[in-house]
Each structure stands twice: as structure tokens, then as C-alpha cells.
Amino acid sequence: YAEKQGVTLCLEHLNTRDDTHPMKGHPGYQGDDVDYVANIVRQVGSDRVKMLFDIYHVQVMNGDVIRRIGQCQDVIGHIHAAGCPGRGELDASQEINFPPTMRKLLEIGYDGYVGQEFIPTRDPLAGLREAFAVCDV
């Protein structure tokens, strides 16, 4: 149906580890392994079914984000970004180094959007400006 309508569905990989807040983790979610989700998408075999690669969730559950972007490049349909730990702003207090991560997306030819999906801990517009600057490579 999605193919006929020209709509792309994205299956999101989520983490099941962080149970401190409903927006930080999703205990009990079946798709908590990035390889498992990527393989489901590959088995469907449609250009209209892709994976939503959420950098925060991949870091929490699987780590090795830059390598995993390369491994999943054939199935990535959209990107979400948030700092880790805590799903906060993309700043110097986070363990993810976003400029090299964004450069990897450019290297694999990703030309879609990167959705900023952090939970603000300070002025949201200032955090968004900082996230934009960090991701603009």
C-alpha cells in the first residue's frame, strides 16, 4: 500500500535500557537491536520501507555509531539526533561526537533530514541553534 501511495515507512530502532523517562527509553520494545531492525527492513525488500536511525538509541543499545551508519547505509531512511547520556542537547557534555557522525552521513550519500529530537534542559532555541551548528559540517 505504501509503495502504491508513494509513501516511505520508517521502522525505528529504540533503546530498552533507559527507563527513567518515557521519552528516553522504551522497555519491552522488540526493535532494540539496530542489526535486528536493519535486517527486518532488508527482508521486506522495498524501497518504501526504511529504518529510522536514531543516533541516541543506537549509542545506548549498540554503540559504535559511525561504523553502524556505514553498515546500515542501504536501509537508512531518516535520522534522529539527541545527546547521550540523557537525551539532552548536542553539546560538549555528551559522549557522541556529532561532527564526525554527520560527516559519515555525508560520506555514505545521505541527503535527507536530521531530526533534532533532544529533550531541552535549558532554553530550547539556544539548544537548537547549538545542535544546528554542531551538525552543520
Side-chain angles (χ1 to χ4, degrees):
Y1 184 79
E3 287 176 348
K4 289 179 185 175
Q5 300 301 314
V7 173
T8 300
L9 304 175
C10 288
L11 178 61
E12 186 171 8
H13 162 269
L14 299 171
N15 90 76
T16 55
R17 291 183 56 211
D18 189 343
D19 62 359
T20 63
H21 185 279
M23 292 304 296
K24 292 183 180 181
H26 306 274
Y29 184 70
Q30 184 174 353
D32 68 351
D33 181 272
V34 71
D35 298 318
Y36 176 78
V37 173
N39 287 330
I40 288 173
V41 172
R42 288 183 184 111
Q43 288 176 25
V44 171
S46 169
D47 286 338
R48 291 297 179 179
V49 177
K50 296 288 185 181
M51 179 170 63
L52 193 164
F53 191 98
D54 190 309
I55 295 167
Y56 163 77
H57 290 300
V58 171
Q59 177 63 15
V60 169
M61 291 303 296
N62 301 102
D64 206 8
V65 172
I66 291 173
R67 185 183 324 232
R68 291 192 178 275
I69 288 170
Q71 292 169 338
C72 296
Q73 65 183 321
D74 61 317
V75 295
I76 292 174
H78 185 61
I79 303 289
H80 280 174
C84 186
R87 200 169 180 167
E89 289 87 355
L90 285 60
D91 60 23
S93 70
Q94 303 299 316
E95 63 191 36
I96 300 170
N97 192 353
F98 280 95
T101 303
M102 295 300 116
R103 282 193 288 276
K104 182 64 177 185
L105 290 170
L106 292 174
E107 180 186 309
I108 68 164
Y110 179 75
D111 63 356
Y113 293 101
V114 175
Q116 301 296 334
E117 202 179 44
F118 59 86
I119 299 170
T121 61
R122 57 182 190 274
D123 174 47
L125 288 178
L128 188 57
R129 278 189 216 94
E130 186 173 17
F132 180 83
V134 168
C135 291
D136 186 25
V137 295

Short mmCIF file of all heavy atoms in Angstrom, two decimals, residues 31-90:
data_model
loop_
_atom_site.label_atom_id
_atom_site.label_comp_id
_atom_site.label_asym_id
_atom_site.label_seq_id
_atom_site.Cartn_x
_atom_site.Cartn_y
_atom_site.Cartn_z
N GLY A 31 12.23 -3.95 18.85
CA GLY A 31 13.27 -3.50 17.92
C GLY A 31 14.38 -2.73 18.60
O GLY A 31 14.72 -1.62 18.18
N ASP A 32 14.99 -3.33 19.63
CA ASP A 32 16.04 -2.61 20.36
C ASP A 32 17.45 -2.94 19.91
O ASP A 32 18.41 -2.45 20.47
CB ASP A 32 15.89 -2.83 21.87
CG ASP A 32 16.18 -4.25 22.31
OD1 ASP A 32 16.32 -5.15 21.45
OD2 ASP A 32 16.26 -4.47 23.53
N ASP A 33 17.59 -3.73 18.87
CA ASP A 33 18.92 -4.04 18.32
C ASP A 33 18.96 -3.51 16.89
O ASP A 33 18.13 -3.87 16.06
CB ASP A 33 19.16 -5.56 18.34
CG ASP A 33 20.53 -5.89 17.80
OD1 ASP A 33 20.65 -6.06 16.56
OD2 ASP A 33 21.49 -5.96 18.58
N VAL A 34 19.92 -2.65 16.62
CA VAL A 34 19.97 -1.98 15.31
C VAL A 34 20.13 -3.00 14.18
O VAL A 34 19.54 -2.83 13.10
CB VAL A 34 21.08 -0.89 15.29
CG1 VAL A 34 22.46 -1.48 15.29
CG2 VAL A 34 20.89 0.05 14.12
N ASP A 35 20.87 -4.07 14.39
CA ASP A 35 21.04 -5.08 13.35
C ASP A 35 19.72 -5.82 13.08
O ASP A 35 19.39 -6.13 11.94
CB ASP A 35 22.13 -6.07 13.73
CG ASP A 35 23.48 -5.40 13.88
OD1 ASP A 35 23.81 -4.53 13.05
OD2 ASP A 35 24.20 -5.72 14.83
N TYR A 36 18.97 -6.09 14.13
CA TYR A 36 17.67 -6.76 14.01
C TYR A 36 16.72 -5.91 13.15
O TYR A 36 16.08 -6.42 12.22
CB TYR A 36 17.09 -6.98 15.42
CG TYR A 36 15.71 -7.57 15.45
CD1 TYR A 36 15.51 -8.93 15.24
CD2 TYR A 36 14.61 -6.77 15.74
CE1 TYR A 36 14.23 -9.48 15.30
CE2 TYR A 36 13.33 -7.31 15.80
CZ TYR A 36 13.15 -8.66 15.57
OH TYR A 36 11.88 -9.19 15.63
N VAL A 37 16.64 -4.61 13.45
CA VAL A 37 15.76 -3.72 12.70
C VAL A 37 16.23 -3.60 11.25
O VAL A 37 15.43 -3.67 10.31
CB VAL A 37 15.65 -2.34 13.38
CG1 VAL A 37 14.88 -1.36 12.52
CG2 VAL A 37 15.00 -2.48 14.75
N ALA A 38 17.53 -3.44 11.04
CA ALA A 38 18.06 -3.33 9.68
C ALA A 38 17.74 -4.59 8.88
O ALA A 38 17.37 -4.51 7.70
CB ALA A 38 19.57 -3.08 9.71
N ASN A 39 17.85 -5.75 9.50
CA ASN A 39 17.56 -7.00 8.80
C ASN A 39 16.08 -7.16 8.48
O ASN A 39 15.73 -7.70 7.43
CB ASN A 39 18.09 -8.19 9.58
CG ASN A 39 19.61 -8.28 9.49
OD1 ASN A 39 20.21 -7.86 8.50
ND2 ASN A 39 20.23 -8.79 10.53
N ILE A 40 15.20 -6.68 9.34
CA ILE A 40 13.77 -6.69 9.02
C ILE A 40 13.52 -5.87 7.76
O ILE A 40 12.84 -6.30 6.84
CB ILE A 40 12.92 -6.15 10.19
CG1 ILE A 40 12.88 -7.14 11.34
CG2 ILE A 40 11.49 -5.82 9.73
CD1 ILE A 40 12.21 -6.60 12.60
N VAL A 41 14.09 -4.67 7.74
CA VAL A 41 13.91 -3.78 6.59
C VAL A 41 14.46 -4.43 5.32
O VAL A 41 13.82 -4.40 4.27
CB VAL A 41 14.55 -2.40 6.86
CG1 VAL A 41 14.54 -1.54 5.61
CG2 VAL A 41 13.83 -1.71 8.01
N ARG A 42 15.62 -5.06 5.42
CA ARG A 42 16.20 -5.74 4.25
C ARG A 42 15.31 -6.89 3.78
O ARG A 42 15.16 -7.12 2.58
CB ARG A 42 17.59 -6.25 4.58
CG ARG A 42 18.61 -5.14 4.70
CD ARG A 42 20.02 -5.69 4.97
NE ARG A 42 20.95 -4.59 5.17
CZ ARG A 42 21.52 -4.29 6.33
NH1 ARG A 42 21.31 -5.04 7.41
NH2 ARG A 42 22.33 -3.26 6.42
N GLN A 43 14.73 -7.63 4.72
CA GLN A 43 13.88 -8.75 4.34
C GLN A 43 12.59 -8.30 3.67
O GLN A 43 12.07 -8.99 2.79
CB GLN A 43 13.56 -9.61 5.57
CG GLN A 43 14.76 -10.41 6.03
CD GLN A 43 14.49 -11.20 7.30
OE1 GLN A 43 13.36 -11.54 7.61
NE2 GLN A 43 15.55 -11.51 8.04
N VAL A 44 12.08 -7.14 4.04
CA VAL A 44 10.89 -6.61 3.37
C VAL A 44 11.22 -6.35 1.90
O VAL A 44 10.44 -6.62 1.01
CB VAL A 44 10.36 -5.34 4.07
CG1 VAL A 44 9.28 -4.67 3.25
CG2 VAL A 44 9.84 -5.68 5.46
N GLY A 45 12.42 -5.80 1.67
CA GLY A 45 12.90 -5.64 0.30
C GLY A 45 12.17 -4.60 -0.52
O GLY A 45 12.03 -4.74 -1.73
N SER A 46 11.71 -3.53 0.11
CA SER A 46 11.01 -2.47 -0.61
C SER A 46 11.73 -1.15 -0.38
O SER A 46 12.13 -0.84 0.74
CB SER A 46 9.57 -2.35 -0.10
OG SER A 46 8.97 -1.16 -0.60
N ASP A 47 11.85 -0.34 -1.43
CA ASP A 47 12.42 1.00 -1.27
C ASP A 47 11.50 1.90 -0.45
O ASP A 47 11.89 3.00 -0.06
CB ASP A 47 12.68 1.64 -2.64
CG ASP A 47 13.88 1.03 -3.33
OD1 ASP A 47 14.73 0.44 -2.64
OD2 ASP A 47 13.96 1.15 -4.57
N ARG A 48 10.29 1.45 -0.19
CA ARG A 48 9.31 2.23 0.59
C ARG A 48 9.27 1.81 2.06
O ARG A 48 8.43 2.28 2.80
CB ARG A 48 7.92 2.11 -0.04
CG ARG A 48 7.81 2.80 -1.37
CD ARG A 48 8.03 4.28 -1.17
NE ARG A 48 7.94 5.00 -2.42
CZ ARG A 48 8.08 6.30 -2.50
NH1 ARG A 48 8.32 7.01 -1.42
NH2 ARG A 48 8.00 6.89 -3.65
N VAL A 49 10.19 0.95 2.48
CA VAL A 49 10.33 0.59 3.90
C VAL A 49 11.80 0.78 4.26
O VAL A 49 12.67 0.14 3.68
CB VAL A 49 9.87 -0.86 4.18
CG1 VAL A 49 10.10 -1.22 5.64
CG2 VAL A 49 8.40 -1.04 3.82
N LYS A 50 12.05 1.68 5.18
CA LYS A 50 13.41 2.03 5.59
C LYS A 50 13.51 2.02 7.11
O LYS A 50 12.53 1.82 7.81
CB LYS A 50 13.78 3.43 5.07
CG LYS A 50 13.82 3.55 3.55
CD LYS A 50 15.01 2.83 3.00
CE LYS A 50 15.16 3.02 1.51
NZ LYS A 50 16.31 2.30 1.00
N MET A 51 14.71 2.28 7.60
CA MET A 51 14.94 2.36 9.03
C MET A 51 15.13 3.81 9.44
O MET A 51 15.82 4.57 8.76
CB MET A 51 16.19 1.57 9.43
CG MET A 51 16.48 1.65 10.92
SD MET A 51 17.78 0.53 11.50
CE MET A 51 19.20 1.12 10.63
N LEU A 52 14.51 4.17 10.55
CA LEU A 52 14.79 5.45 11.18
C LEU A 52 15.98 5.21 12.12
O LEU A 52 15.84 4.52 13.12
CB LEU A 52 13.57 5.96 11.96
CG LEU A 52 13.62 7.41 12.39
CD1 LEU A 52 12.23 7.88 12.77
CD2 LEU A 52 14.60 7.68 13.48
N PHE A 53 17.13 5.73 11.75
CA PHE A 53 18.37 5.54 12.51
C PHE A 53 18.45 6.65 13.54
O PHE A 53 18.75 7.80 13.20
CB PHE A 53 19.56 5.57 11.57
CG PHE A 53 20.87 5.14 12.18
CD1 PHE A 53 21.33 3.85 12.00
CD2 PHE A 53 21.64 6.03 12.90
CE1 PHE A 53 22.55 3.45 12.54
CE2 PHE A 53 22.85 5.65 13.46
CZ PHE A 53 23.30 4.35 13.28
N ASP A 54 18.16 6.33 14.78
CA ASP A 54 18.19 7.31 15.87
C ASP A 54 19.55 7.19 16.57
O ASP A 54 19.82 6.20 17.24
CB ASP A 54 17.04 7.04 16.84
CG ASP A 54 16.87 8.15 17.85
OD1 ASP A 54 17.88 8.52 18.50
OD2 ASP A 54 15.75 8.63 18.02
N ILE A 55 20.37 8.18 16.38
CA ILE A 55 21.75 8.15 16.89
C ILE A 55 21.78 7.93 18.40
O ILE A 55 22.60 7.16 18.90
CB ILE A 55 22.49 9.44 16.49
CG1 ILE A 55 22.63 9.50 14.96
CG2 ILE A 55 23.85 9.54 17.18
CD1 ILE A 55 23.06 10.86 14.42
N TYR A 56 20.88 8.57 19.12
CA TYR A 56 20.83 8.40 20.58
C TYR A 56 20.54 6.95 20.95
O TYR A 56 21.25 6.36 21.76
CB TYR A 56 19.75 9.33 21.16
CG TYR A 56 19.33 8.97 22.56
CD1 TYR A 56 20.13 9.28 23.65
CD2 TYR A 56 18.13 8.30 22.80
CE1 TYR A 56 19.74 8.94 24.94
CE2 TYR A 56 17.74 7.96 24.08
CZ TYR A 56 18.54 8.28 25.14
OH TYR A 56 18.17 7.93 26.41
N HIS A 57 19.50 6.37 20.36
CA HIS A 57 19.13 4.99 20.70
C HIS A 57 20.21 3.99 20.28
O HIS A 57 20.48 3.02 20.99
CB HIS A 57 17.79 4.62 20.08
CG HIS A 57 16.63 5.34 20.69
ND1 HIS A 57 16.30 5.24 22.02
CD2 HIS A 57 15.71 6.17 20.14
CE1 HIS A 57 15.23 5.97 22.28
NE2 HIS A 57 14.85 6.56 21.15
N VAL A 58 20.83 4.21 19.13
CA VAL A 58 21.91 3.31 18.69
C VAL A 58 23.07 3.37 19.68
O VAL A 58 23.62 2.34 20.06
CB VAL A 58 22.38 3.65 17.26
CG1 VAL A 58 23.64 2.87 16.89
CG2 VAL A 58 21.27 3.37 16.25
N GLN A 59 23.42 4.58 20.13
CA GLN A 59 24.52 4.70 21.10
C GLN A 59 24.20 3.98 22.40
O GLN A 59 25.04 3.26 22.94
CB GLN A 59 24.82 6.18 21.38
CG GLN A 59 25.88 6.41 22.43
CD GLN A 59 27.26 5.89 22.05
OE1 GLN A 59 27.53 5.57 20.90
NE2 GLN A 59 28.13 5.77 23.03
N VAL A 60 22.96 4.13 22.89
CA VAL A 60 22.59 3.49 24.15
C VAL A 60 22.63 1.96 24.03
O VAL A 60 23.16 1.28 24.91
CB VAL A 60 21.19 3.95 24.62
CG1 VAL A 60 20.68 3.11 25.78
CG2 VAL A 60 21.21 5.42 25.01
N MET A 61 22.11 1.42 22.97
CA MET A 61 21.97 -0.04 22.84
C MET A 61 23.16 -0.72 22.19
O MET A 61 23.51 -1.83 22.56
CB MET A 61 20.70 -0.39 22.04
CG MET A 61 19.42 -0.07 22.76
SD MET A 61 19.25 -0.86 24.37
CE MET A 61 19.20 -2.59 23.93
N ASN A 62 23.75 -0.11 21.18
CA ASN A 62 24.75 -0.80 20.38
C ASN A 62 26.10 -0.10 20.32
O ASN A 62 27.11 -0.76 20.10
CB ASN A 62 24.24 -0.99 18.94
CG ASN A 62 22.95 -1.78 18.89
OD1 ASN A 62 21.88 -1.22 18.74
ND2 ASN A 62 23.04 -3.09 19.04
N GLY A 63 26.13 1.21 20.47
CA GLY A 63 27.39 1.95 20.36
C GLY A 63 27.96 1.88 18.95
O GLY A 63 27.29 1.47 18.02
N ASP A 64 29.20 2.33 18.81
CA ASP A 64 29.91 2.25 17.52
C ASP A 64 29.08 2.90 16.41
O ASP A 64 28.91 2.34 15.32
CB ASP A 64 30.20 0.78 17.21
CG ASP A 64 31.40 0.59 16.31
OD1 ASP A 64 32.11 1.58 16.03
OD2 ASP A 64 31.62 -0.54 15.87
N VAL A 65 28.55 4.09 16.69
CA VAL A 65 27.58 4.75 15.82
C VAL A 65 28.08 4.96 14.40
O VAL A 65 27.39 4.66 13.43
CB VAL A 65 27.12 6.10 16.44
CG1 VAL A 65 26.27 6.89 15.47
CG2 VAL A 65 26.36 5.85 17.74
N ILE A 66 29.29 5.46 14.25
CA ILE A 66 29.79 5.78 12.91
C ILE A 66 29.92 4.52 12.06
O ILE A 66 29.50 4.50 10.90
CB ILE A 66 31.12 6.56 13.00
CG1 ILE A 66 30.85 7.95 13.57
CG2 ILE A 66 31.80 6.65 11.64
CD1 ILE A 66 32.09 8.77 13.86
N ARG A 67 30.45 3.46 12.62
CA ARG A 67 30.56 2.20 11.88
C ARG A 67 29.17 1.66 11.52
O ARG A 67 28.93 1.17 10.43
CB ARG A 67 31.33 1.16 12.67
CG ARG A 67 31.55 -0.13 11.87
CD ARG A 67 32.24 -1.20 12.68
NE ARG A 67 33.23 -0.64 13.59
CZ ARG A 67 34.50 -1.04 13.67
NH1 ARG A 67 34.92 -2.00 12.89
NH2 ARG A 67 35.33 -0.50 14.52
N ARG A 68 28.23 1.78 12.45
CA ARG A 68 26.88 1.26 12.22
C ARG A 68 26.15 2.06 11.14
O ARG A 68 25.34 1.51 10.40
CB ARG A 68 26.09 1.22 13.51
CG ARG A 68 26.67 0.15 14.42
CD ARG A 68 25.79 -0.17 15.58
NE ARG A 68 26.39 -1.22 16.37
CZ ARG A 68 26.26 -2.51 16.14
NH1 ARG A 68 25.58 -2.93 15.12
NH2 ARG A 68 26.82 -3.39 16.93
N ILE A 69 26.44 3.34 11.02
CA ILE A 69 25.86 4.12 9.92
C ILE A 69 26.31 3.51 8.60
O ILE A 69 25.50 3.32 7.69
CB ILE A 69 26.27 5.61 10.01
CG1 ILE A 69 25.52 6.28 11.18
CG2 ILE A 69 26.00 6.34 8.69
CD1 ILE A 69 26.01 7.68 11.51
N GLY A 70 27.58 3.19 8.49
CA GLY A 70 28.08 2.56 7.26
C GLY A 70 27.44 1.21 7.01
O GLY A 70 27.07 0.89 5.87
N GLN A 71 27.27 0.42 8.06
CA GLN A 71 26.67 -0.90 7.91
C GLN A 71 25.19 -0.83 7.52
O GLN A 71 24.67 -1.76 6.90
CB GLN A 71 26.81 -1.69 9.21
CG GLN A 71 28.24 -2.06 9.53
CD GLN A 71 28.40 -2.61 10.95
OE1 GLN A 71 27.58 -2.36 11.83
NE2 GLN A 71 29.49 -3.34 11.16
N CYS A 72 24.54 0.24 7.90
CA CYS A 72 23.09 0.37 7.67
C CYS A 72 22.76 1.32 6.53
O CYS A 72 21.58 1.62 6.28
CB CYS A 72 22.40 0.85 8.95
SG CYS A 72 22.49 -0.30 10.32
N GLN A 73 23.76 1.79 5.81
CA GLN A 73 23.51 2.83 4.81
C GLN A 73 22.47 2.43 3.76
O GLN A 73 21.75 3.29 3.25
CB GLN A 73 24.81 3.24 4.13
CG GLN A 73 25.49 2.16 3.32
CD GLN A 73 26.81 2.64 2.75
OE1 GLN A 73 26.94 3.79 2.33
NE2 GLN A 73 27.80 1.77 2.76
N ASP A 74 22.33 1.16 3.48
CA ASP A 74 21.38 0.71 2.47
C ASP A 74 19.93 0.77 2.95
O ASP A 74 19.01 0.70 2.13
CB ASP A 74 21.70 -0.71 2.01
CG ASP A 74 21.64 -1.74 3.13
OD1 ASP A 74 22.14 -1.44 4.24
OD2 ASP A 74 21.10 -2.83 2.91
N VAL A 75 19.71 0.91 4.25
CA VAL A 75 18.33 0.88 4.76
C VAL A 75 17.94 2.15 5.52
O VAL A 75 16.81 2.27 5.98
CB VAL A 75 18.08 -0.35 5.66
CG1 VAL A 75 18.20 -1.63 4.85
CG2 VAL A 75 19.01 -0.38 6.85
N ILE A 76 18.85 3.11 5.65
CA ILE A 76 18.53 4.33 6.40
C ILE A 76 17.58 5.20 5.57
O ILE A 76 17.87 5.56 4.44
CB ILE A 76 19.80 5.11 6.77
CG1 ILE A 76 20.62 4.33 7.80
CG2 ILE A 76 19.45 6.50 7.32
CD1 ILE A 76 21.96 4.96 8.14
N GLY A 77 16.47 5.57 6.22
CA GLY A 77 15.50 6.45 5.57
C GLY A 77 15.40 7.81 6.23
O GLY A 77 14.97 8.78 5.62
N HIS A 78 15.77 7.88 7.50
CA HIS A 78 15.70 9.14 8.24
C HIS A 78 16.63 9.03 9.45
O HIS A 78 16.92 7.92 9.91
CB HIS A 78 14.26 9.42 8.70
CG HIS A 78 14.09 10.76 9.37
ND1 HIS A 78 14.33 11.95 8.74
CD2 HIS A 78 13.70 11.07 10.63
CE1 HIS A 78 14.09 12.95 9.57
NE2 HIS A 78 13.70 12.45 10.73
N ILE A 79 17.06 10.19 9.96
CA ILE A 79 17.98 10.25 11.09
C ILE A 79 17.35 11.10 12.20
O ILE A 79 16.78 12.15 11.92
CB ILE A 79 19.33 10.90 10.69
CG1 ILE A 79 20.00 10.15 9.54
CG2 ILE A 79 20.26 11.03 11.89
CD1 ILE A 79 20.55 8.79 9.89
N HIS A 80 17.49 10.64 13.44
CA HIS A 80 17.19 11.45 14.62
C HIS A 80 18.47 11.64 15.40
O HIS A 80 19.33 10.76 15.42
CB HIS A 80 16.18 10.75 15.53
CG HIS A 80 14.77 10.88 15.08
ND1 HIS A 80 13.74 10.22 15.72
CD2 HIS A 80 14.19 11.59 14.09
CE1 HIS A 80 12.59 10.51 15.12
NE2 HIS A 80 12.85 11.33 14.13
N ALA A 81 18.60 12.78 16.08
CA ALA A 81 19.79 13.07 16.87
C ALA A 81 19.41 13.64 18.23
O ALA A 81 18.50 14.47 18.33
CB ALA A 81 20.69 14.06 16.14
N ALA A 82 20.10 13.17 19.24
CA ALA A 82 20.00 13.71 20.60
C ALA A 82 21.28 13.33 21.33
O ALA A 82 21.95 12.37 20.97
CB ALA A 82 18.78 13.13 21.34
N GLY A 83 21.60 14.10 22.33
CA GLY A 83 22.81 13.82 23.11
C GLY A 83 22.65 12.58 23.97
O GLY A 83 21.55 12.17 24.31
N CYS A 84 23.78 12.00 24.29
CA CYS A 84 23.80 10.81 25.12
C CYS A 84 24.96 10.94 26.09
O CYS A 84 26.06 11.26 25.66
CB CYS A 84 23.97 9.57 24.24
SG CYS A 84 23.85 8.01 25.11
N PRO A 85 24.75 10.75 27.37
CA PRO A 85 23.55 10.22 28.02
C PRO A 85 22.48 11.29 28.24
O PRO A 85 22.75 12.48 28.14
CB PRO A 85 24.07 9.72 29.37
CG PRO A 85 25.23 10.62 29.67
CD PRO A 85 25.84 10.95 28.33
N GLY A 86 21.29 10.84 28.51
CA GLY A 86 20.21 11.72 28.94
C GLY A 86 19.32 12.30 27.88
O GLY A 86 18.35 12.95 28.18
N ARG A 87 19.66 12.10 26.61
CA ARG A 87 18.87 12.61 25.50
C ARG A 87 18.73 14.14 25.54
O ARG A 87 17.72 14.71 25.19
CB ARG A 87 17.50 11.96 25.46
CG ARG A 87 16.85 12.06 24.11
CD ARG A 87 15.63 11.20 24.03
NE ARG A 87 15.05 11.36 22.72
CZ ARG A 87 14.14 10.58 22.23
NH1 ARG A 87 13.69 9.57 22.92
NH2 ARG A 87 13.66 10.77 21.04
N GLY A 88 19.80 14.79 26.00
CA GLY A 88 19.81 16.24 26.08
C GLY A 88 20.35 16.88 24.81
O GLY A 88 20.46 16.25 23.76
N GLU A 89 20.67 18.16 24.94
CA GLU A 89 21.20 18.92 23.82
C GLU A 89 22.49 18.31 23.28
O GLU A 89 23.17 17.57 23.98
CB GLU A 89 21.48 20.37 24.26
CG GLU A 89 20.24 21.18 24.50
CD GLU A 89 19.69 21.06 25.92
OE1 GLU A 89 20.21 20.26 26.73
OE2 GLU A 89 18.73 21.78 26.24
N LEU A 90 22.81 18.65 22.07
CA LEU A 90 24.03 18.17 21.41
C LEU A 90 25.16 19.13 21.75
O LEU A 90 25.48 20.04 21.00
CB LEU A 90 23.84 18.11 19.90
CG LEU A 90 22.99 16.98 19.33
CD1 LEU A 90 21.58 16.97 19.85
CD2 LEU A 90 23.01 17.02 17.83
#
